[in-house]
Amino acid sequence: YEQPTREYLARYIIKGWRRAKSVFEFGCGAGKNLALMQSMNPSLKVAGMEINSEAICYGKKLYNNIQIQQGDEHSLAKMDSNCYDICFTSSVLNHMPEHETKIIINQLKRISKQLVVLLESNDKAFMQGILWFIHDYKMFKFRWINSVLTFEGQKYDLWIWEQNQQL
């Protein structure tokens, strides 16, 4: 089954930002989010970065038109500035300590032409025994948009940062 968070994120990006021609996901796994977005808009250029080589191999078997490269937060520095209209993460930063989160967010802001979207959980009820980090995304100049629940009842928050916003 597909989590409602995946559908919510895809619809928010595709329907809310119709002029976007390209999206990049950091921590894309096998590329399921990207594949869903591309199915909603076949002309959309989609790409992602993932640290797990097995997930990348699996994604390449499933989706032949999605570009996934292997890398971590330091690999983002090698990418050109303003190379994707929208950059996003989904349940990635809540697994990263603050110093790594800061690197990722700053790089995604640099890479993005228009928008950075974060769909991340700070739900303390689901953090028992899991390596989980709570971040204050307002500190990084993000604006909270909405919350969405998984089938298990875990709350995820959608945050955005727009390239032309006042800092």
Side-chain angles (χ1 to χ4, degrees):
Y1 65 89
E2 288 295 323
Q3 284 288 358
T5 52
R6 186 181 318 280
E7 174 102 7
Y8 179 80
L9 177 66
R11 287 196 183 286
Y12 181 83
I13 289 174
I14 299 303
K15 306 288 186 206
W17 303 91
R18 294 182 191 275
R19 291 176 296 173
K21 305 230 184 304
S22 62
V23 296
F24 174 82
E25 181 178 12
F26 180 77
C28 66
K32 286 184 178 184
N33 291 329
L34 297 168
L36 180 58
M37 289 178 194
Q38 196 167 57
S39 74
M40 294 174 161
N41 179 356
S43 65
L44 187 69
K45 176 187 168 192
V46 297
M49 184 175 286
E50 172 60 41
I51 196 168
N52 183 327
S53 60
E54 289 179 22
I56 294 168
C57 288
Y58 182 67
K60 287 183 178 182
K61 289 177 188 172
L62 290 177
Y63 317 112
N64 58 2
N65 54 349
I66 295 176
Q67 176 189 346
I68 302 175
Q69 59 183 307
Q70 189 166 13
D72 62 10
E73 67 273 12
H74 302 290
S75 306
L76 292 170
K78 299 173 188 160
M79 296 176 68
D80 292 337
S81 295
N82 302 311
C83 57
Y84 290 96
D85 292 323
I86 299 173
C87 296
F88 72 96
T89 67
S90 178
S91 192
V92 171
L93 301 179
N94 49 320
H95 300 286
M96 303 285 208
E98 184 142 340
H99 68 279
E100 290 176 12
T101 296
K102 184 176 182 180
I103 292 168
I104 293 164
I105 286 175
N106 287 336
Q107 289 298 327
L108 292 178
K109 287 179 176 181
R110 183 185 63 76
I111 293 165
S112 172
K113 291 181 197 174
Q114 298 176 19
L115 183 74
V116 178
V117 178
L118 309 176
L119 184 64
E120 301 289 340
S121 181
N122 281 339
D123 194 337
K124 294 177 186 166
F126 283 83
M127 297 182 185
Q128 305 302 328
I130 300 173
L131 184 60
W132 207 281
F133 298 91
I134 296 175
H135 301 294
D136 177 10
Y137 298 110
K138 288 179 187 173
M139 178 178 75
F140 298 107
K141 309 292 186 205
F142 279 77
R143 183 167 47 98
W144 180 83
I145 300 297
N146 205 348
S147 295
V148 63
L149 296 178
T150 64
F151 288 126
E152 297 83 17
Q154 183 176 4
K155 185 179 87 157
Y156 279 79
D157 293 311
L158 184 78
W159 297 86
I160 67 166
W161 175 86
E162 294 180 72
Q163 188 65 269
N164 58 1
Q165 74 185 17
Q166 297 293 326
L167 297 180

